Coordinates of all heavy atoms in Angstrom, one line a residue:
M1 N 0.8 -1.2 0.0 CA 0.0 0.0 0.0 C 0.9 1.2 0.0 O 1.8 1.4 0.8 CB -0.9 0.0 1.2 CG -1.8 1.2 1.3 SD -3.0 0.9 2.6 CE -2.7 2.3 3.6
T2 N 0.6 2.2 -0.9 CA 1.4 3.4 -0.9 C 0.8 4.5 0.0 O -0.5 4.5 0.2 CB 1.5 4.0 -2.4 OG1 0.1 4.3 -2.8 CG2 2.1 3.0 -3.3
E3 N 1.6 5.3 0.5 CA 1.1 6.4 1.4 C 0.5 7.5 0.6 O 1.0 7.7 -0.6 CB 2.2 6.9 2.3 CG 2.7 5.8 3.3 CD 3.6 6.4 4.3 OE1 3.3 7.5 4.8 OE2 4.6 5.8 4.7
M4 N -0.4 8.2 1.1 CA -1.1 9.3 0.4 C -0.1 10.5 0.4 O 0.6 10.7 1.3 CB -2.4 9.7 1.2 CG -3.4 8.5 1.3 SD -4.0 8.1 -0.3 CE -5.1 9.4 -0.7
P5 N -0.2 11.3 -0.7 CA 0.6 12.5 -0.8 C 0.1 13.5 0.2 O -1.0 13.5 0.6 CB 0.4 13.0 -2.2 CG -0.8 12.4 -2.7 CD -1.0 11.1 -1.9
A6 N 1.0 14.4 0.6 CA 0.7 15.4 1.6 C -0.4 16.3 1.1 O -1.1 16.9 1.9 CB 2.0 16.2 2.0
S7 N -0.6 16.5 -0.2 CA -1.6 17.4 -0.7 C -3.0 16.9 -0.4 O -3.9 17.7 -0.5 CB -1.4 17.5 -2.2 OG -1.6 16.2 -2.9
T8 N -3.2 15.7 0.1 CA -4.5 15.2 0.5 C -4.9 15.7 1.9 O -6.0 15.8 2.2 CB -4.6 13.7 0.5 OG1 -3.6 13.1 1.4 CG2 -4.4 13.1 -0.9
A9 N -3.8 16.1 2.7 CA -4.1 16.5 4.0 C -3.7 18.0 4.3 O -4.2 18.6 5.2 CB -3.3 15.7 5.0
L10 N -2.9 18.6 3.4 CA -2.4 19.9 3.6 C -2.6 20.7 2.3 O -2.6 20.2 1.2 CB -0.9 19.9 3.9 CG -0.4 19.1 5.1 CD1 1.1 19.1 5.1 CD2 -1.0 19.7 6.4
A11 N -2.8 22.0 2.5 CA -3.0 23.0 1.4 C -2.1 24.2 1.6 O -2.0 24.7 2.7 CB -4.4 23.4 1.2
A12 N -1.5 24.7 0.5 CA -0.6 25.9 0.6 C -1.3 27.1 -0.1 O -1.9 26.9 -1.1 CB 0.7 25.6 0.0
E13 N -1.2 28.2 0.5 CA -1.7 29.4 -0.2 C -0.9 30.7 0.2 O -0.1 30.7 1.2 CB -3.2 29.7 0.2 CG -3.4 29.9 1.7 CD -4.9 30.1 2.0 OE1 -5.5 30.9 1.4 OE2 -5.3 29.4 2.9
L14 N -1.0 31.7 -0.7 CA -0.4 33.0 -0.4 C -1.3 33.9 0.3 O -2.5 33.9 -0.1 CB 0.0 33.6 -1.8 CG 1.0 32.9 -2.6 CD1 1.2 33.6 -4.0 CD2 2.4 32.8 -1.9
V15 N -0.8 34.5 1.4 CA -1.7 35.4 2.1 C -0.9 36.7 2.4 O 0.4 36.6 2.5 CB -2.1 34.8 3.5 CG1 -3.0 33.6 3.2 CG2 -1.0 34.4 4.3
P16 N -1.6 37.8 2.7 CA -0.8 39.0 3.2 C -0.1 38.7 4.5 O -0.6 37.8 5.3 CB -1.9 40.0 3.4 CG -3.1 39.5 2.6 CD -3.0 38.0 2.6
T17 N 1.0 39.3 4.7 CA 1.8 39.0 5.9 C 1.1 39.2 7.2 O 0.2 40.0 7.2 CB 3.1 39.8 5.9 OG1 4.0 39.4 6.9 CG2 2.8 41.3 6.0
S18 N 1.4 38.4 8.1 CA 0.7 38.5 9.4 C 1.4 39.5 10.3 O 0.9 39.8 11.4 CB 0.7 37.1 10.1 OG 2.1 36.7 10.4
R19 N 2.6 40.0 9.9 CA 3.3 41.0 10.7 C 2.6 42.4 10.5 O 2.0 42.6 9.5 CB 4.7 41.1 10.2 CG 5.5 39.9 10.5 CD 6.8 40.0 9.7 NE 7.6 38.8 9.8 CZ 7.3 37.7 9.1 NH1 6.4 37.7 8.2 NH2 8.0 36.6 9.2
P20 N 2.7 43.2 11.6 CA 2.1 44.5 11.4 C 2.7 45.3 10.3 O 3.9 45.2 10.0 CB 2.5 45.2 12.8 CG 2.7 44.1 13.7 CD 3.3 43.0 12.9
K21 N 1.9 46.0 9.5 CA 2.3 46.7 8.3 C 3.4 47.7 8.6 O 4.3 47.8 7.8 CB 1.1 47.4 7.6 CG 0.0 46.5 7.2 CD 0.3 45.8 5.9 CE -0.9 45.1 5.4 NZ -0.8 43.7 5.3
V22 N 3.4 48.3 9.8 CA 4.5 49.2 10.1 C 5.8 48.5 10.2 O 6.8 49.0 9.6 CB 4.2 49.9 11.5 CG1 5.3 50.8 11.9 CG2 2.9 50.7 11.3
L23 N 5.9 47.4 10.8 CA 7.2 46.6 10.8 C 7.6 46.2 9.5 O 8.8 46.2 9.2 CB 7.0 45.4 11.8 CG 6.8 45.7 13.2 CD1 6.6 44.5 14.0 CD2 7.9 46.6 13.8
V24 N 6.7 45.7 8.6 CA 7.1 45.3 7.3 C 7.6 46.5 6.5 O 8.6 46.5 5.8 CB 5.9 44.7 6.5 CG1 6.2 44.4 5.1 CG2 5.4 43.4 7.2
F25 N 7.0 47.7 6.7 CA 7.4 48.9 6.0 C 8.8 49.3 6.5 O 9.6 49.7 5.7 CB 6.4 50.0 6.2 CG 6.8 51.3 5.6 CD1 6.8 51.5 4.2 CD2 7.3 52.4 6.3 CE1 7.2 52.7 3.6 CE2 7.7 53.5 5.8 CZ 7.7 53.7 4.4
L26 N 9.0 49.3 7.8 CA 10.3 49.7 8.3 C 11.4 48.8 7.9 O 12.6 49.2 7.7 CB 10.3 49.7 9.9 CG 9.4 50.9 10.5 CD1 9.3 50.7 12.0 CD2 10.0 52.2 10.0
R27 N 11.1 47.5 7.6 CA 12.1 46.6 7.1 C 12.4 46.9 5.6 O 13.5 46.7 5.1 CB 11.6 45.2 7.2 CG 12.6 44.1 7.2 CD 12.0 42.8 7.5 NE 12.7 41.9 6.7 CZ 12.4 40.7 6.5 NH1 11.2 40.2 6.9 NH2 13.1 39.9 5.7
W28 N 11.4 47.4 4.9 CA 11.5 47.7 3.5 C 12.1 49.1 3.2 O 12.8 49.3 2.2 CB 10.1 47.6 2.9 CG 10.0 47.9 1.4 CD1 10.4 47.2 0.4 CD2 9.3 49.1 0.9 NE1 10.0 47.8 -0.8 CE2 9.4 49.0 -0.5 CE3 8.6 50.2 1.4 CZ2 8.8 49.9 -1.4 CZ3 8.1 51.1 0.6 CH2 8.2 51.0 -0.8
L29 N 12.0 50.0 4.1 CA 12.4 51.4 4.0 C 13.9 51.5 3.6 O 14.2 52.3 2.7 CB 12.0 52.2 5.2 CG 12.3 53.7 5.2 CD1 11.5 54.3 4.0 CD2 11.9 54.3 6.5
P30 N 14.8 50.9 4.3 CA 16.2 51.0 3.9 C 16.5 50.7 2.5 O 17.3 51.4 1.8 CB 17.0 50.1 4.9 CG 16.1 49.9 6.0 CD 14.7 50.0 5.5
S31 N 15.8 49.7 1.9 CA 16.0 49.4 0.5 C 15.5 50.5 -0.4 O 16.2 50.8 -1.4 CB 15.3 48.1 0.2 OG 15.8 47.0 0.9
L32 N 14.4 51.1 0.0 CA 13.9 52.2 -0.8 C 14.8 53.4 -0.7 O 15.1 54.0 -1.8 CB 12.5 52.6 -0.3 CG 11.8 53.7 -1.0 CD1 11.5 53.3 -2.4 CD2 10.5 54.1 -0.3
V33 N 15.4 53.7 0.4 CA 16.3 54.8 0.6 C 17.6 54.6 -0.3 O 18.1 55.4 -1.0 CB 16.6 55.1 2.1 CG1 17.8 56.1 2.2 CG2 15.4 55.6 2.8
G34 N 18.1 53.3 -0.2 CA 19.3 53.0 -1.0 C 19.0 53.1 -2.5 O 19.9 53.6 -3.2
A35 N 17.8 52.7 -2.9 CA 17.5 52.9 -4.3 C 17.4 54.3 -4.7 O 17.8 54.7 -5.8 CB 16.1 52.2 -4.6
F36 N 16.9 55.2 -3.8 CA 16.8 56.6 -4.2 C 18.1 57.3 -4.2 O 18.4 58.0 -5.2 CB 15.9 57.3 -3.1 CG 15.7 58.8 -3.4 CD1 14.9 59.2 -4.4 CD2 16.4 59.7 -2.6 CE1 14.7 60.6 -4.6 CE2 16.3 61.0 -2.9 CZ 15.4 61.5 -3.8
F37 N 19.0 57.0 -3.2 CA 20.3 57.7 -3.2 C 21.4 57.1 -4.0 O 22.2 57.8 -4.5 CB 20.7 57.9 -1.7 CG 20.0 58.9 -0.9 CD1 19.1 58.5 0.0 CD2 20.1 60.2 -1.2 CE1 18.4 59.4 0.8 CE2 19.4 61.2 -0.5 CZ 18.5 60.8 0.5
F38 N 21.3 55.8 -4.2 CA 22.4 55.1 -4.8 C 22.0 54.4 -6.1 O 22.9 53.8 -6.8 CB 23.1 54.1 -3.9 CG 23.5 54.7 -2.6 CD1 22.8 54.4 -1.4 CD2 24.6 55.6 -2.5 CE1 23.2 55.0 -0.2 CE2 25.0 56.1 -1.3 CZ 24.3 55.8 -0.2
G39 N 20.8 54.5 -6.5 CA 20.3 53.9 -7.7 C 20.3 52.4 -7.7 O 20.2 51.7 -8.7
D40 N 20.4 51.8 -6.5 CA 20.4 50.3 -6.4 C 19.0 49.9 -5.9 O 18.7 50.1 -4.7 CB 21.5 49.9 -5.5 CG 21.5 48.4 -5.3 OD1 21.0 47.7 -6.1 OD2 22.2 47.9 -4.3
A41 N 18.2 49.3 -6.8 CA 16.9 48.9 -6.4 C 16.9 47.5 -5.8 O 15.8 46.9 -5.6 CB 16.0 49.1 -7.6
T42 N 18.0 46.9 -5.6 CA 18.1 45.6 -5.1 C 17.4 45.5 -3.7 O 17.7 46.3 -2.8 CB 19.5 45.1 -4.9 OG1 20.2 45.2 -6.1 CG2 19.6 43.6 -4.4
G43 N 16.4 44.7 -3.6 CA 15.7 44.5 -2.3 C 14.6 45.5 -2.1 O 13.9 45.5 -1.1
A44 N 14.4 46.4 -3.0 CA 13.3 47.5 -2.8 C 12.0 47.0 -3.3 O 11.3 47.6 -4.1 CB 13.7 48.7 -3.6
T45 N 11.6 45.8 -2.8 CA 10.3 45.2 -3.2 C 9.5 45.0 -1.9 O 10.1 44.8 -0.8 CB 10.5 43.9 -3.9 OG1 11.3 43.0 -3.1 CG2 11.1 44.1 -5.3
W46 N 8.2 45.1 -2.0 CA 7.4 45.0 -0.8 C 7.3 43.6 -0.3 O 6.9 42.7 -1.0 CB 6.0 45.5 -1.1 CG 5.1 45.4 0.0 CD1 4.1 44.5 0.2 CD2 5.0 46.3 1.2 NE1 3.4 44.8 1.4 CE2 4.0 45.9 2.0 CE3 5.8 47.4 1.5 CZ2 3.7 46.5 3.2 CZ3 5.5 48.0 2.7 CH2 4.5 47.6 3.5
K47 N 7.9 43.3 0.9 CA 7.9 42.0 1.4 C 6.7 41.8 2.3 O 6.9 41.6 3.5 CB 9.2 41.7 2.1 CG 10.4 41.8 1.2 CD 11.7 41.3 1.8 CE 12.8 41.4 0.9 NZ 12.9 40.3 0.0
G48 N 5.6 41.7 1.7 CA 4.3 41.6 2.5 C 3.5 40.4 2.2 O 2.3 40.4 2.4
T49 N 4.2 39.3 1.7 CA 3.5 38.1 1.4 C 4.0 36.9 2.2 O 5.2 36.8 2.4 CB 3.6 37.8 -0.1 OG1 3.2 38.9 -0.9 CG2 2.8 36.6 -0.5
D50 N 3.1 36.1 2.7 CA 3.5 34.9 3.4 C 2.9 33.7 2.7 O 1.9 33.8 2.0 CB 2.9 34.8 4.8 CG 3.5 35.9 5.8 OD1 4.4 36.6 5.4 OD2 3.0 35.9 6.9
I51 N 3.6 32.6 2.8 CA 3.1 31.3 2.3 C 2.7 30.5 3.6 O 3.4 30.4 4.5 CB 4.2 30.5 1.6 CG1 4.5 31.2 0.3 CG2 3.6 29.1 1.3 CD1 5.6 30.6 -0.5
V52 N 1.4 30.1 3.6 CA 0.9 29.4 4.7 C 0.4 28.0 4.2 O -0.2 27.9 3.2 CB -0.3 30.1 5.3 CG1 -0.9 29.3 6.5 CG2 0.1 31.5 5.8
V53 N 0.9 27.0 5.0 CA 0.4 25.6 4.8 C -0.5 25.3 5.9 O -0.1 25.4 7.1 CB 1.6 24.6 4.7 CG1 1.2 23.2 4.5 CG2 2.6 25.1 3.6
R54 N -1.7 24.8 5.5 CA -2.7 24.5 6.5 C -3.2 23.1 6.4 O -3.2 22.5 5.3 CB -3.9 25.5 6.4 CG -3.6 26.9 6.7 CD -4.8 27.8 6.6 NE -4.5 29.1 7.1 CZ -4.6 30.2 6.4 NH1 -5.0 30.1 5.1 NH2 -4.3 31.4 6.9
R55 N -3.7 22.6 7.5 CA -4.4 21.3 7.5 C -5.7 21.4 6.8 O -6.4 22.4 7.0 CB -4.6 20.8 8.9 CG -3.2 20.4 9.6 CD -3.5 19.8 11.0 NE -4.4 18.7 10.9 CZ -4.1 17.4 10.7 NH1 -2.9 17.1 10.6 NH2 -5.0 16.5 10.7
A56 N -6.0 20.5 5.9 CA -7.3 20.6 5.1 C -8.5 20.3 6.0 O -9.5 20.9 5.9 CB -7.2 19.6 4.0
D57 N -8.3 19.5 7.1 CA -9.4 19.1 7.9 C -9.8 20.2 9.0 O -11.0 20.4 9.2 CB -9.2 17.7 8.6 CG -8.0 17.7 9.4 OD1 -7.1 18.6 9.3 OD2 -7.8 16.7 10.1
T58 N -8.8 20.8 9.5 CA -9.1 21.8 10.6 C -8.8 23.3 10.2 O -9.3 24.2 10.9 CB -8.2 21.5 11.8 OG1 -6.8 21.7 11.5 CG2 -8.4 20.1 12.4
G59 N -8.0 23.5 9.1 CA -7.7 24.8 8.7 C -6.5 25.4 9.6 O -6.2 26.6 9.4
R60 N -6.0 24.6 10.5 CA -4.9 25.1 11.4 C -3.6 25.2 10.6 O -3.2 24.4 9.8 CB -4.7 24.1 12.5 CG -3.9 24.7 13.6 CD -3.6 23.6 14.7 NE -2.2 23.2 14.4 CZ -1.7 22.0 14.4 NH1 -2.5 21.0 14.8 NH2 -0.5 21.8 14.1
D61 N -2.9 26.3 10.8 CA -1.6 26.5 10.2 C -0.6 25.5 10.7 O -0.5 25.3 11.9 CB -1.0 27.9 10.5 CG -1.8 29.1 9.9 OD1 -2.8 28.8 9.2 OD2 -1.4 30.2 10.0
V62 N 0.2 24.9 9.8 CA 1.2 24.0 10.3 C 2.6 24.5 9.9 O 3.6 24.1 10.4 CB 1.1 22.5 9.7 CG1 -0.2 21.9 10.3 CG2 1.0 22.5 8.2
L63 N 2.6 25.5 8.9 CA 3.9 26.1 8.5 C 3.6 27.5 7.9 O 2.6 27.6 7.2 CB 4.5 25.2 7.4 CG 5.8 25.6 6.8 CD1 6.9 25.5 7.8 CD2 6.2 24.7 5.7
R64 N 4.4 28.4 8.2 CA 4.3 29.8 7.7 C 5.7 30.3 7.3 O 6.6 30.2 8.1 CB 3.6 30.7 8.7 CG 3.5 32.1 8.1 CD 2.8 33.1 9.1 NE 1.4 32.7 9.2 CZ 0.4 33.4 8.6 NH1 0.7 34.3 7.7 NH2 -0.9 33.0 8.7
M65 N 5.8 30.7 6.1 CA 7.1 31.3 5.6 C 6.7 32.8 5.3 O 5.9 33.0 4.4 CB 7.6 30.6 4.4 CG 8.1 29.2 4.8 SD 8.5 28.2 3.3 CE 6.9 27.5 3.0
G66 N 7.3 33.7 6.0 CA 6.9 35.1 5.8 C 8.0 36.0 5.3 O 9.1 35.6 5.1
G67 N 7.5 37.2 5.0 CA 8.4 38.3 4.6 C 8.9 38.1 3.2 O 10.1 38.4 2.9
L68 N 8.1 37.7 2.3 CA 8.5 37.4 0.9 C 7.9 38.5 0.0 O 6.8 39.0 0.2 CB 8.0 36.0 0.5 CG 8.4 34.8 1.3 CD1 7.6 33.6 0.9 CD2 9.9 34.5 1.2
D69 N 8.7 38.8 -1.0 CA 8.1 39.7 -2.1 C 7.3 38.8 -3.0 O 7.4 37.5 -2.9 CB 9.2 40.5 -2.8 CG 10.1 39.7 -3.6 OD1 9.7 38.8 -4.3 OD2 11.3 40.1 -3.6
V70 N 6.6 39.4 -3.9 CA 5.7 38.6 -4.8 C 6.4 37.6 -5.7 O 6.0 36.5 -5.8 CB 4.8 39.6 -5.7 CG1 4.0 38.8 -6.7 CG2 4.0 40.5 -4.8
E71 N 7.6 38.0 -6.2 CA 8.3 37.0 -7.1 C 8.8 35.9 -6.3 O 8.7 34.7 -6.7 CB 9.5 37.8 -7.7 CG 9.0 38.7 -8.9 CD 10.2 39.3 -9.6 OE1 11.3 38.8 -9.5 OE2 10.0 40.4 -10.1
E72 N 9.4 36.1 -5.1 CA 9.9 35.1 -4.2 C 8.7 34.1 -3.8 O 8.9 32.9 -3.9 CB 10.4 35.6 -2.9 CG 11.7 36.3 -3.0 CD 12.1 37.0 -1.7 OE1 11.3 37.5 -1.0 OE2 13.3 37.0 -1.4
A73 N 7.6 34.7 -3.5 CA 6.4 33.9 -3.0 C 5.9 33.1 -4.2 O 5.6 31.9 -4.0 CB 5.3 34.9 -2.5
D74 N 5.8 33.6 -5.4 CA 5.4 32.8 -6.5 C 6.3 31.6 -6.8 O 5.8 30.5 -7.1 CB 5.3 33.7 -7.8 CG 4.0 34.6 -7.8 OD1 3.1 34.3 -7.0 OD2 4.0 35.5 -8.6
H75 N 7.6 31.9 -6.8 CA 8.5 30.8 -7.0 C 8.4 29.7 -5.9 O 8.4 28.5 -6.2 CB 9.9 31.4 -7.1 CG 11.0 30.3 -7.2 ND1 11.2 29.6 -8.3 CD2 11.9 29.9 -6.3 CE1 12.2 28.8 -8.1 NE2 12.7 28.9 -6.9
L76 N 8.4 30.2 -4.7 CA 8.4 29.3 -3.5 C 7.1 28.5 -3.4 O 7.2 27.3 -3.1 CB 8.7 30.0 -2.2 CG 9.2 29.2 -1.0 CD1 10.4 28.4 -1.4 CD2 9.5 30.2 0.1
I77 N 6.0 29.1 -3.7 CA 4.7 28.3 -3.6 C 4.7 27.2 -4.6 O 4.1 26.2 -4.4 CB 3.5 29.2 -3.6 CG1 2.3 28.4 -3.0 CG2 3.2 29.8 -4.9 CD1 1.3 29.2 -2.3
A78 N 5.3 27.4 -5.8 CA 5.3 26.4 -6.8 C 6.1 25.2 -6.3 O 5.7 24.0 -6.4 CB 5.9 26.9 -8.1
L79 N 7.2 25.5 -5.6 CA 8.0 24.4 -5.0 C 7.3 23.7 -3.9 O 7.3 22.4 -3.8 CB 9.3 24.9 -4.5 CG 10.3 25.5 -5.5 CD1 11.5 26.1 -4.8 CD2 10.8 24.4 -6.4
V80 N 6.6 24.5 -3.0 CA 5.8 23.9 -1.9 C 4.7 23.0 -2.5 O 4.6 21.8 -2.0 CB 5.2 25.0 -1.0 CG1 4.2 24.4 -0.1 CG2 6.3 25.7 -0.3
R81 N 4.0 23.4 -3.4 CA 2.9 22.6 -4.0 C 3.4 21.4 -4.7 O 2.8 20.3 -4.6 CB 2.0 23.5 -4.9 CG 1.2 24.5 -4.1 CD 0.4 25.4 -5.0 NE -0.5 26.2 -4.2 CZ -1.0 27.4 -4.6 NH1 -0.7 27.8 -5.9 NH2 -1.8 28.1 -3.8
A82 N 4.5 21.5 -5.4 CA 5.1 20.3 -6.0 C 5.5 19.3 -4.9 O 5.3 18.1 -5.1 CB 6.3 20.7 -6.9
D83 N 6.1 19.7 -3.8 CA 6.5 18.8 -2.8 C 5.3 18.2 -2.0 O 5.3 17.1 -1.6 CB 7.4 19.5 -1.8 CG 8.8 19.6 -2.2 OD1 9.2 19.0 -3.3 OD2 9.7 20.2 -1.5
L84 N 4.2 19.0 -1.9 CA 3.0 18.5 -1.3 C 2.4 17.3 -2.2 O 1.9 16.3 -1.6 CB 1.9 19.5 -1.2 CG 2.0 20.6 -0.1 CD1 1.0 21.7 -0.3 CD2 1.9 19.9 1.2
D85 N 2.6 17.3 -3.5 CA 2.2 16.3 -4.4 C 3.1 15.1 -4.4 O 2.6 14.0 -4.7 CB 2.0 16.8 -5.8 CG 0.8 17.7 -6.0 OD1 -0.1 17.6 -5.2 OD2 0.9 18.6 -6.9
T86 N 4.3 15.2 -3.9 CA 5.3 14.1 -4.0 C 5.7 13.5 -2.7 O 6.3 12.5 -2.7 CB 6.5 14.5 -4.9 OG1 7.1 15.7 -4.2 CG2 6.1 14.9 -6.3
H87 N 5.5 14.2 -1.6 CA 5.9 13.8 -0.3 C 4.8 13.4 0.6 O 3.6 13.8 0.3 CB 6.7 14.9 0.5 CG 8.0 15.3 -0.1 ND1 9.1 14.5 0.1 CD2 8.4 16.3 -0.9 CE1 10.2 15.0 -0.5 NE2 9.7 16.2 -1.1
T88 N 5.1 12.6 1.6 CA 4.0 12.3 2.6 C 4.0 13.5 3.5 O 4.9 14.4 3.5 CB 4.4 11.1 3.4 OG1 5.6 11.3 4.1 CG2 4.5 9.8 2.6
V89 N 3.0 13.6 4.4 CA 2.9 14.7 5.3 C 4.1 14.8 6.2 O 4.7 15.9 6.3 CB 1.6 14.6 6.2 CG1 1.6 15.6 7.3 CG2 0.4 14.7 5.4
E90 N 4.6 13.7 6.7 CA 5.7 13.7 7.6 C 7.0 14.1 6.9 O 7.7 15.0 7.4 CB 6.0 12.3 8.2 CG 4.9 11.9 9.2 CD 3.6 11.3 8.4 OE1 3.7 11.0 7.2 OE2 2.6 11.3 9.0
S91 N 7.3 13.6 5.7 CA 8.5 14.0 5.0 C 8.4 15.5 4.5 O 9.4 16.2 4.5 CB 8.8 13.1 3.9 OG 7.8 13.2 2.8
F92 N 7.2 15.9 4.1 CA 7.1 17.3 3.7 C 7.4 18.2 4.9 O 8.2 19.2 4.7 CB 5.7 17.6 3.2 CG 5.4 19.0 2.9 CD1 5.8 19.6 1.7 CD2 4.8 19.8 3.9 CE1 5.6 20.9 1.5 CE2 4.6 21.2 3.7 CZ 5.0 21.7 2.5
L93 N 6.8 18.0 6.1 CA 7.0 18.8 7.2 C 8.5 18.8 7.7 O 9.1 19.8 8.0 CB 6.1 18.5 8.3 CG 4.6 18.8 8.1 CD1 3.7 18.3 9.2 CD2 4.4 20.3 7.8
D94 N 9.1 17.6 7.7 CA 10.5 17.5 8.0 C 11.4 18.4 7.1 O 12.3 19.1 7.6 CB 11.0 16.0 8.0 CG 10.5 15.2 9.1 OD1 10.0 15.8 10.1 OD2 10.5 14.0 9.0
E95 N 11.1 18.3 5.8 CA 11.9 19.1 4.9 C 11.7 20.6 5.0 O 12.6 21.3 5.0 CB 11.7 18.6 3.5 CG 12.5 19.3 2.4 CD 12.3 18.8 1.0 OE1 11.9 17.6 0.9 OE2 12.6 19.6 0.1
W96 N 10.5 21.0 5.0 CA 10.1 22.4 4.9 C 10.3 23.1 6.2 O 10.5 24.3 6.3 CB 8.8 22.6 4.3 CG 8.8 22.5 2.8 CD1 8.6 21.3 2.1 CD2 9.2 23.5 1.9 NE1 8.8 21.6 0.8 CE2 9.2 22.9 0.6 CE3 9.6 24.8 2.0 CZ2 9.5 23.6 -0.5 CZ3 9.9 25.5 0.9 CH2 9.9 24.9 -0.4
R97 N 10.2 22.5 7.4 CA 10.4 23.2 8.6 C 11.8 23.6 8.8 O 12.1 24.6 9.5 CB 9.9 22.3 9.8 CG 8.4 22.3 9.9 CD 7.9 21.7 11.2 NE 6.5 21.8 11.3 CZ 5.7 20.9 11.8 NH1 6.2 19.8 12.3 NH2 4.4 21.2 11.9
H98 N 12.7 22.9 8.2 CA 14.2 23.3 8.2 C 14.4 24.4 7.3 O 15.4 25.2 7.5 CB 15.1 22.1 7.8 CG 15.0 21.0 8.8 ND1 15.5 21.1 10.1 CD2 14.5 19.7 8.7 CE1 15.3 19.9 10.7 NE2 14.7 19.1 9.9
R99 N 13.6 24.6 6.2 CA 13.8 25.7 5.3 C 13.2 27.0 5.8 O 13.6 28.1 5.5 CB 13.2 25.4 4.0 CG 13.9 24.3 3.2 CD 13.2 24.2 1.8 NE 13.8 23.0 1.1 CZ 13.5 22.7 -0.1 NH1 12.6 23.5 -0.8 NH2 14.0 21.7 -0.7
A100 N 12.1 26.9 6.6 CA 11.3 28.1 7.0 C 12.0 28.9 8.0 O 12.9 28.6 8.6 CB 10.0 27.6 7.5

């Protein structure tokens, strides 16, 4: 008997960050200032997106990766969803809790 993939028990989605907007802005502000004065826009993106993995049965969060910009979040959620389809719940959580 094969084990069920994690995607049967867990679901991943993009959500606005759970951190207070002021703290997110203060973290983003130095990048904006650097871009203005030095012309370096590296890191001057709004890091207000989290990836949340929740249990399908209860809706409880089991994993949250926060402080991502939209491009980072899009790339990472594709990886998370691919791993949900190929790993068991236990192996998925073991792998991703070390990354988060």
Side-chain angles (χ1 to χ4, degrees):
M1 182 171 120
T2 61
E3 293 193 43
M4 300 295 285
S7 60
T8 61
L10 303 173
E13 63 181 309
L14 296 174
V15 297
T17 189
S18 62
R19 293 168 188 79
K21 300 280 189 246
V22 172
L23 293 178
V24 174
F25 177 75
L26 290 175
R27 201 173 146 199
W28 178 70
L29 187 59
S31 297
L32 181 64
V33 170
F36 180 76
F37 286 108
F38 305 110
D40 179 17
T42 305
T45 55
W46 182 254
K47 296 192 180 281
T49 305
D50 291 355
I51 294 176
V52 178
V53 178
R54 294 187 172 117
R55 292 184 51 89
D57 57 351
T58 64
R60 194 187 102 219
D61 293 2
V62 294
L63 181 66
R64 181 177 287 265
M65 293 172 272
L68 304 167
D69 67 42
V70 175
E71 287 182 24
E72 290 173 321
D74 282 343
H75 174 73
L76 198 55
I77 197 152
L79 294 173
V80 168
R81 288 179 175 156
D83 280 357
L84 284 172
D85 289 334
T86 58
H87 291 282
T88 64
V89 172
E90 294 80 18
S91 68
F92 173 83
L93 291 175
D94 286 343
E95 181 176 336
W96 281 94
R97 282 189 175 147
H98 295 293
R99 290 185 187 186

